[in-house]
Amino acid sequence: MTAADGPQIDTEPLTPSRLGLRPAEWLRRIRAAVLAYPRLAAGMLLAVTVLSFADLVEIIPALEPVTHHAWFPFIHATHIVLSMILLLYIGHRVEPALGLLGVGWLLIVLAPYIVMRHREELPEIVRLLAMMGAMGFAIYLSAVRKQLQDVLHELAIRDPVTGLLNRRQFERELARQILVAERYRIPAAVVYLDLDKFKAVNDSLGHQAGDRLLIGIAEILKQNVRATDVAARLGGDEFALILTYTSLDEAKTVAERLAQAFREHHVSIGDQLVATTGSFGVVGIDRKSSVSALMVAADLAMYAVKNRGGNGVSLVPLIA
């Protein structure tokens, strides 16, 4: 047996990044969490900080007479409870590993106090620390589970190539928009688009080239719609948009702007520049309809452009 056949030993150093410790990512998530709940985060951090300083008095021998006051046990218990709440918040909103590390830090801080003040109760306290450690690990597992659920949810609603919403999620969003339009009489529009002669790209240059072109088209859509709009890849070279708070004329303007962006977009594949145009069907919504009726109408409008040679926009009156 050669050395290559034997077990492979990982000789790379255990850097923080290899351990999953990404300070920059943690800081980004902490900032996002604080911005989302600034008063809650600031209040909890202030309370834990103040209580931490008060709690340290108990392990300073010179200040031992002060610790006989009746309110010290309350401070200590409150400090532990608030610290655990803060760690739970961090674990769920920021990073699971931070919550687990925080529990470890809390146990280290408590250890000197416990050994100095409660030697006779050490066996019971060890069990308490074990319980707190198990609680911290449970926080970690719970947060990891939530992250996995978020990942699975994204996989269920996103197109794997472009990152846009998939057909199923698009239809859900469209059904919701129909209800909004019916309830509040807010204008909205659906833009259905199909790339022209995309099959020729796949047949001549391969599916990898086609995927690169699709990704570029998806980026154009993302850059030209608002955060309140919805962009999706329905399958193949078919895409769709939901433009909220948008009249039919405004939707036509958006579609024409996208058509122009498609014409100007080129993807470099080997020594070739690959480009494509799009056929757009635009349908206005301002009262009750159905998802299937809207999609059929938009599809027909898009094919009207296809039959004229593509690279254009066709409108459909409001769908009742």
Side-chain angles (χ1 to χ4, degrees):
M1 182 176 68
T2 65
D5 299 325
Q8 300 298 310
I9 300 175
D10 187 359
T11 59
E12 292 293 325
L14 292 177
T15 60
S17 59
R18 295 194 68 207
L19 292 172
L21 307 178
R22 303 175 300 277
E25 178 66 13
W26 286 358
L27 290 175
R28 186 188 67 78
R29 294 191 183 187
I30 290 173
R31 180 178 180 275
V34 170
L35 290 176
Y37 302 95
R39 294 182 180 178
L40 174 63
M44 292 173 61
L45 184 60
L46 178 62
V48 171
T49 302
V50 171
L51 290 171
S52 296
F53 281 110
D55 207 29
L56 287 175
V57 174
E58 290 207 68
I59 60 174
I60 300 176
L63 299 176
E64 187 169 348
V66 183
T67 65
H68 295 299
H69 286 284
W71 48 270
F72 254 92
F74 173 76
I75 284 183
H76 188 68
T78 305
H79 177 208
I80 295 174
V81 171
L82 285 180
S83 297
M84 293 303 294
I85 293 174
L86 180 60
L87 294 172
L88 178 64
Y89 171 81
I90 290 173
H92 277 274
R93 296 291 306 178
V94 182
E95 172 68 37
L98 277 181
L100 186 62
L101 290 174
V103 171
W105 168 83
L106 182 60
L107 297 180
I108 291 173
V109 169
L110 288 175
Y113 165 77
I114 290 169
V115 171
M116 294 182 65
R117 302 286 299 170
H118 300 280
R119 288 190 182 92
E120 67 282 358
E121 301 171 11
L122 200 55
E124 290 77 10
I125 292 172
V126 168
R127 283 194 289 270
L128 175 63
L129 292 178
M131 183 182 69
M132 291 179 63
M135 186 184 302
F137 192 62
I139 293 172
Y140 177 77
L141 291 180
S142 175
V144 169
R145 180 171 174 266
K146 181 179 181 300
Q147 287 189 346
L148 290 175
Q149 288 176 335
D150 292 342
V151 170
L152 291 175
H153 176 69
E154 285 295 305
L155 290 175
I157 68 173
R158 297 281 175 187
D159 169 59
V161 176
T162 63
L164 300 178
L165 297 182
N166 57 26
R167 175 182 287 271
R168 177 178 296 180
Q169 188 63 24
F170 177 83
E171 292 180 349
R172 289 175 182 159
E173 296 291 340
L174 181 54
R176 185 179 298 112
Q177 184 58 44
I178 291 171
L179 293 176
V180 171
E182 177 188 8
R183 170 71 172 164
Y184 300 105
R185 302 295 179 181
I186 296 173
V190 173
V191 178
Y192 191 100
L193 65 103
D194 186 277
L195 302 183
D196 300 325
K197 301 177 182 178
F198 179 74
K199 185 175 183 299
V201 176
N202 275 338
D203 292 344
S204 61
L205 298 175
H207 289 281
Q208 185 176 7
D211 286 348
R212 288 182 58 185
L213 191 58
L214 292 174
I215 292 170
I217 293 299
E219 288 302 315
I220 293 175
L221 296 180
K222 293 175 186 176
Q223 292 168 8
N224 284 273
V225 298
R226 302 160 299 181
T228 55
D229 299 329
V230 175
R233 181 191 177 201
L234 304 184
D237 58 346
E238 298 176 352
F239 295 82
L241 304 172
I242 300 173
L243 304 178
T244 59
Y245 303 95
T246 304
S247 67
L248 190 61
D249 288 339
E250 291 170 337
K252 178 185 176 184
T253 301
V254 172
E256 290 173 342
R257 185 171 68 242
L258 289 170
Q260 179 63 29
F262 283 16
R263 288 191 289 269
E264 297 173 354
H265 177 69
H266 296 79
V267 175
S268 177
I269 300 174
D271 57 351
Q272 298 188 49
L273 287 178
V274 180
T276 187
T277 56
S279 300
F280 295 78
V282 182
V283 183
I285 317 165
D286 71 347
R287 51 186 180 271
K288 188 173 182 180
S289 182
S290 67
V291 171
S292 59
L294 284 169
M295 296 303 291
V296 167
D299 188 51
L300 291 174
M302 181 272 295
Y303 270 105
V305 178
K306 282 277 189 188
N307 294 334
R308 297 197 299 265
N311 189 22
V313 178
S314 177
L315 301 184
V316 177
L318 300 177
I319 300 299

mmCIF file of all heavy atoms in Angstrom, residues 250-278:
data_model
loop_
_atom_site.group_PDB
_atom_site.id
_atom_site.type_symbol
_atom_site.label_atom_id
_atom_site.label_comp_id
_atom_site.label_asym_id
_atom_site.label_seq_id
_atom_site.Cartn_x
_atom_site.Cartn_y
_atom_site.Cartn_z
ATOM 1 N N GLU A 250 -47.381 52.438 -17.190
ATOM 2 C CA GLU A 250 -46.100 52.395 -16.481
ATOM 3 C C GLU A 250 -45.429 51.039 -16.656
ATOM 4 O O GLU A 250 -44.206 50.950 -16.809
ATOM 5 C CB GLU A 250 -46.317 52.702 -15.001
ATOM 6 C CG GLU A 250 -46.724 54.139 -14.723
ATOM 7 C CD GLU A 250 -47.166 54.355 -13.294
ATOM 8 O OE1 GLU A 250 -47.585 53.368 -12.636
ATOM 9 O OE2 GLU A 250 -47.106 55.512 -12.827
ATOM 10 N N ALA A 251 -46.247 49.973 -16.639
ATOM 11 C CA ALA A 251 -45.689 48.635 -16.844
ATOM 12 C C ALA A 251 -45.110 48.493 -18.253
ATOM 13 O O ALA A 251 -44.071 47.854 -18.460
ATOM 14 C CB ALA A 251 -46.765 47.582 -16.608
ATOM 15 N N LYS A 252 -45.776 49.101 -19.228
ATOM 16 C CA LYS A 252 -45.247 49.074 -20.597
ATOM 17 C C LYS A 252 -43.889 49.770 -20.654
ATOM 18 O O LYS A 252 -42.954 49.287 -21.309
ATOM 19 C CB LYS A 252 -46.224 49.759 -21.546
ATOM 20 C CG LYS A 252 -45.730 49.814 -22.983
ATOM 21 C CD LYS A 252 -46.674 50.618 -23.861
ATOM 22 C CE LYS A 252 -46.117 50.739 -25.280
ATOM 23 N NZ LYS A 252 -46.945 51.592 -26.142
ATOM 24 N N THR A 253 -43.768 50.891 -19.948
ATOM 25 C CA THR A 253 -42.487 51.611 -19.922
ATOM 26 C C THR A 253 -41.391 50.744 -19.316
ATOM 27 O O THR A 253 -40.262 50.701 -19.820
ATOM 28 C CB THR A 253 -42.630 52.913 -19.121
ATOM 29 O OG1 THR A 253 -43.640 53.732 -19.732
ATOM 30 C CG2 THR A 253 -41.320 53.664 -19.069
ATOM 31 N N VAL A 254 -41.723 50.036 -18.229
ATOM 32 C CA VAL A 254 -40.744 49.139 -17.597
ATOM 33 C C VAL A 254 -40.336 48.041 -18.574
ATOM 34 O O VAL A 254 -39.145 47.722 -18.717
ATOM 35 C CB VAL A 254 -41.327 48.533 -16.308
ATOM 36 C CG1 VAL A 254 -40.383 47.457 -15.755
ATOM 37 C CG2 VAL A 254 -41.555 49.611 -15.260
ATOM 38 N N ALA A 255 -41.315 47.439 -19.248
ATOM 39 C CA ALA A 255 -41.012 46.360 -20.187
ATOM 40 C C ALA A 255 -40.138 46.860 -21.341
ATOM 41 O O ALA A 255 -39.202 46.165 -21.770
ATOM 42 C CB ALA A 255 -42.310 45.763 -20.723
ATOM 43 N N GLU A 256 -40.412 48.051 -21.833
ATOM 44 C CA GLU A 256 -39.595 48.610 -22.917
ATOM 45 C C GLU A 256 -38.173 48.894 -22.449
ATOM 46 O O GLU A 256 -37.210 48.706 -23.196
ATOM 47 C CB GLU A 256 -40.251 49.879 -23.458
ATOM 48 C CG GLU A 256 -41.540 49.605 -24.232
ATOM 49 C CD GLU A 256 -42.278 50.877 -24.612
ATOM 50 O OE1 GLU A 256 -41.974 51.933 -23.990
ATOM 51 O OE2 GLU A 256 -43.148 50.822 -25.494
ATOM 52 N N ARG A 257 -38.049 49.348 -21.205
ATOM 53 C CA ARG A 257 -36.704 49.581 -20.656
ATOM 54 C C ARG A 257 -35.941 48.261 -20.528
ATOM 55 O O ARG A 257 -34.740 48.186 -20.827
ATOM 56 C CB ARG A 257 -36.816 50.271 -19.297
ATOM 57 C CG ARG A 257 -35.470 50.669 -18.716
ATOM 58 C CD ARG A 257 -35.619 51.532 -17.485
ATOM 59 N NE ARG A 257 -36.182 50.795 -16.366
ATOM 60 C CZ ARG A 257 -37.337 51.076 -15.780
ATOM 61 N NH1 ARG A 257 -38.082 52.075 -16.226
ATOM 62 N NH2 ARG A 257 -37.775 50.370 -14.763
ATOM 63 N N LEU A 258 -36.640 47.209 -20.111
ATOM 64 C CA LEU A 258 -36.000 45.896 -20.009
ATOM 65 C C LEU A 258 -35.615 45.369 -21.388
ATOM 66 O O LEU A 258 -34.536 44.782 -21.552
ATOM 67 C CB LEU A 258 -36.942 44.906 -19.314
ATOM 68 C CG LEU A 258 -37.159 45.122 -17.816
ATOM 69 C CD1 LEU A 258 -38.284 44.237 -17.307
ATOM 70 C CD2 LEU A 258 -35.877 44.829 -17.042
ATOM 71 N N ALA A 259 -36.488 45.554 -22.365
ATOM 72 C CA ALA A 259 -36.170 45.104 -23.721
ATOM 73 C C ALA A 259 -34.904 45.777 -24.237
ATOM 74 O O ALA A 259 -34.054 45.133 -24.879
ATOM 75 C CB ALA A 259 -37.356 45.386 -24.651
ATOM 76 N N GLN A 260 -34.768 47.062 -23.960
ATOM 77 C CA GLN A 260 -33.566 47.779 -24.374
ATOM 78 C C GLN A 260 -32.327 47.251 -23.639
ATOM 79 O O GLN A 260 -31.257 47.073 -24.242
ATOM 80 C CB GLN A 260 -33.733 49.277 -24.095
ATOM 81 C CG GLN A 260 -32.532 50.131 -24.465
ATOM 82 C CD GLN A 260 -32.234 50.113 -25.957
ATOM 83 O OE1 GLN A 260 -33.143 49.947 -26.771
ATOM 84 N NE2 GLN A 260 -30.962 50.270 -26.306
ATOM 85 N N ALA A 261 -32.474 46.961 -22.335
ATOM 86 C CA ALA A 261 -31.352 46.419 -21.562
ATOM 87 C C ALA A 261 -30.947 45.044 -22.084
ATOM 88 O O ALA A 261 -29.755 44.717 -22.128
ATOM 89 C CB ALA A 261 -31.733 46.333 -20.086
ATOM 90 N N PHE A 262 -31.930 44.233 -22.508
ATOM 91 C CA PHE A 262 -31.614 42.926 -23.082
ATOM 92 C C PHE A 262 -30.800 43.086 -24.367
ATOM 93 O O PHE A 262 -29.842 42.348 -24.601
ATOM 94 C CB PHE A 262 -32.905 42.163 -23.393
ATOM 95 C CG PHE A 262 -33.573 41.562 -22.184
ATOM 96 C CD1 PHE A 262 -33.251 41.969 -20.900
ATOM 97 C CD2 PHE A 262 -34.550 40.593 -22.335
ATOM 98 C CE1 PHE A 262 -33.875 41.423 -19.793
ATOM 99 C CE2 PHE A 262 -35.179 40.035 -21.241
ATOM 100 C CZ PHE A 262 -34.847 40.452 -19.967
ATOM 101 N N ARG A 263 -31.205 44.029 -25.205
ATOM 102 C CA ARG A 263 -30.501 44.223 -26.475
ATOM 103 C C ARG A 263 -29.050 44.632 -26.260
ATOM 104 O O ARG A 263 -28.172 44.298 -27.057
ATOM 105 C CB ARG A 263 -31.222 45.283 -27.316
ATOM 106 C CG ARG A 263 -32.541 44.818 -27.908
ATOM 107 C CD ARG A 263 -33.072 45.809 -28.929
ATOM 108 N NE ARG A 263 -33.553 47.036 -28.306
ATOM 109 C CZ ARG A 263 -34.814 47.232 -27.906
ATOM 110 N NH1 ARG A 263 -35.708 46.260 -28.057
ATOM 111 N NH2 ARG A 263 -35.183 48.369 -27.369
ATOM 112 N N GLU A 264 -28.815 45.356 -25.181
ATOM 113 C CA GLU A 264 -27.459 45.856 -24.919
ATOM 114 C C GLU A 264 -26.606 44.882 -24.116
ATOM 115 O O GLU A 264 -25.408 45.100 -23.946
ATOM 116 C CB GLU A 264 -27.555 47.190 -24.171
ATOM 117 C CG GLU A 264 -28.232 48.293 -24.964
ATOM 118 C CD GLU A 264 -28.469 49.542 -24.133
ATOM 119 O OE1 GLU A 264 -28.210 49.491 -22.907
ATOM 120 O OE2 GLU A 264 -28.926 50.559 -24.699
ATOM 121 N N HIS A 265 -27.226 43.811 -23.611
ATOM 122 C CA HIS A 265 -26.504 42.869 -22.745
ATOM 123 C C HIS A 265 -25.808 41.800 -23.592
ATOM 124 O O HIS A 265 -26.423 41.173 -24.455
ATOM 125 C CB HIS A 265 -27.474 42.215 -21.770
ATOM 126 C CG HIS A 265 -26.825 41.182 -20.892
ATOM 127 N ND1 HIS A 265 -25.916 41.511 -19.910
ATOM 128 C CD2 HIS A 265 -26.949 39.835 -20.861
ATOM 129 C CE1 HIS A 265 -25.515 40.413 -19.299
ATOM 130 N NE2 HIS A 265 -26.134 39.376 -19.853
ATOM 131 N N HIS A 266 -24.521 41.579 -23.339
ATOM 132 C CA HIS A 266 -23.748 40.549 -24.026
ATOM 133 C C HIS A 266 -22.984 39.731 -22.984
ATOM 134 O O HIS A 266 -22.522 40.262 -21.969
ATOM 135 C CB HIS A 266 -22.745 41.159 -25.014
ATOM 136 C CG HIS A 266 -23.391 41.902 -26.133
ATOM 137 N ND1 HIS A 266 -23.882 43.187 -25.989
ATOM 138 C CD2 HIS A 266 -23.638 41.543 -27.426
ATOM 139 C CE1 HIS A 266 -24.401 43.591 -27.130
ATOM 140 N NE2 HIS A 266 -24.261 42.627 -28.020
ATOM 141 N N VAL A 267 -22.877 38.443 -23.259
ATOM 142 C CA VAL A 267 -22.105 37.547 -22.398
ATOM 143 C C VAL A 267 -20.939 37.015 -23.210
ATOM 144 O O VAL A 267 -21.128 36.508 -24.333
ATOM 145 C CB VAL A 267 -22.975 36.386 -21.882
ATOM 146 C CG1 VAL A 267 -22.120 35.395 -21.100
ATOM 147 C CG2 VAL A 267 -24.095 36.914 -21.000
ATOM 148 N N SER A 268 -19.742 37.132 -22.654
ATOM 149 C CA SER A 268 -18.542 36.640 -23.331
ATOM 150 C C SER A 268 -18.350 35.162 -23.007
ATOM 151 O O SER A 268 -18.163 34.789 -21.847
ATOM 152 C CB SER A 268 -17.319 37.449 -22.892
ATOM 153 O OG SER A 268 -16.155 36.932 -23.494
ATOM 154 N N ILE A 269 -18.425 34.316 -24.037
ATOM 155 C CA ILE A 269 -18.241 32.875 -23.874
ATOM 156 C C ILE A 269 -17.165 32.439 -24.862
ATOM 157 O O ILE A 269 -17.380 32.436 -26.080
ATOM 158 C CB ILE A 269 -19.547 32.105 -24.126
ATOM 159 C CG1 ILE A 269 -20.621 32.569 -23.136
ATOM 160 C CG2 ILE A 269 -19.316 30.613 -23.999
ATOM 161 C CD1 ILE A 269 -21.980 31.990 -23.386
ATOM 162 N N GLY A 270 -15.987 32.111 -24.337
ATOM 163 C CA GLY A 270 -14.859 31.821 -25.207
ATOM 164 C C GLY A 270 -14.474 33.067 -25.977
ATOM 165 O O GLY A 270 -14.205 34.120 -25.400
ATOM 166 N N ASP A 271 -14.465 32.947 -27.288
ATOM 167 C CA ASP A 271 -14.137 34.108 -28.124
ATOM 168 C C ASP A 271 -15.389 34.710 -28.762
ATOM 169 O O ASP A 271 -15.295 35.480 -29.720
ATOM 170 C CB ASP A 271 -13.138 33.703 -29.222
ATOM 171 C CG ASP A 271 -13.678 32.562 -30.087
ATOM 172 O OD1 ASP A 271 -14.735 31.993 -29.724
ATOM 173 O OD2 ASP A 271 -13.037 32.244 -31.106
ATOM 174 N N GLN A 272 -16.569 34.362 -28.205
ATOM 175 C CA GLN A 272 -17.810 34.863 -28.779
ATOM 176 C C GLN A 272 -18.548 35.759 -27.793
ATOM 177 O O GLN A 272 -18.504 35.541 -26.582
ATOM 178 C CB GLN A 272 -18.741 33.700 -29.166
ATOM 179 C CG GLN A 272 -18.166 32.773 -30.217
ATOM 180 C CD GLN A 272 -19.203 31.769 -30.687
ATOM 181 O OE1 GLN A 272 -20.320 32.138 -31.016
ATOM 182 N NE2 GLN A 272 -18.817 30.498 -30.703
ATOM 183 N N LEU A 273 -19.242 36.747 -28.325
ATOM 184 C CA LEU A 273 -20.156 37.570 -27.547
ATOM 185 C C LEU A 273 -21.571 37.107 -27.848
ATOM 186 O O LEU A 273 -22.015 37.159 -29.001
ATOM 187 C CB LEU A 273 -19.989 39.050 -27.893
ATOM 188 C CG LEU A 273 -18.728 39.727 -27.374
ATOM 189 C CD1 LEU A 273 -18.685 41.182 -27.847
ATOM 190 C CD2 LEU A 273 -18.670 39.675 -25.852
ATOM 191 N N VAL A 274 -22.257 36.640 -26.820
ATOM 192 C CA VAL A 274 -23.601 36.085 -26.989
ATOM 193 C C VAL A 274 -24.612 37.084 -26.457
ATOM 194 O O VAL A 274 -24.456 37.624 -25.354
ATOM 195 C CB VAL A 274 -23.742 34.739 -26.247
ATOM 196 C CG1 VAL A 274 -25.150 34.172 -26.438
ATOM 197 C CG2 VAL A 274 -22.706 33.754 -26.748
ATOM 198 N N ALA A 275 -25.649 37.336 -27.227
ATOM 199 C CA ALA A 275 -26.692 38.267 -26.819
ATOM 200 C C ALA A 275 -28.053 37.665 -27.126
ATOM 201 O O ALA A 275 -28.167 36.702 -27.891
ATOM 202 C CB ALA A 275 -26.527 39.601 -27.533
ATOM 203 N N THR A 276 -29.079 38.215 -26.551
ATOM 204 C CA THR A 276 -30.435 37.768 -26.828
ATOM 205 C C THR A 276 -31.384 38.943 -26.653
ATOM 206 O O THR A 276 -31.055 39.937 -25.997
ATOM 207 C CB THR A 276 -30.847 36.616 -25.898
ATOM 208 O OG1 THR A 276 -32.126 36.107 -26.312
ATOM 209 C CG2 THR A 276 -30.962 37.090 -24.455
ATOM 210 N N THR A 277 -32.547 38.827 -27.245
ATOM 211 C CA THR A 277 -33.602 39.813 -27.049
ATOM 212 C C THR A 277 -34.769 39.122 -26.357
ATOM 213 O O THR A 277 -34.735 37.908 -26.114
ATOM 214 C CB THR A 277 -34.054 40.409 -28.391
ATOM 215 O OG1 THR A 277 -34.472 39.347 -29.270
ATOM 216 C CG2 THR A 277 -32.924 41.187 -29.038
ATOM 217 N N GLY A 278 -35.803 39.883 -26.032
ATOM 218 C CA GLY A 278 -36.931 39.319 -25.311
ATOM 219 C C GLY A 278 -38.258 39.738 -25.905
ATOM 220 O O GLY A 278 -38.389 40.825 -26.477
#
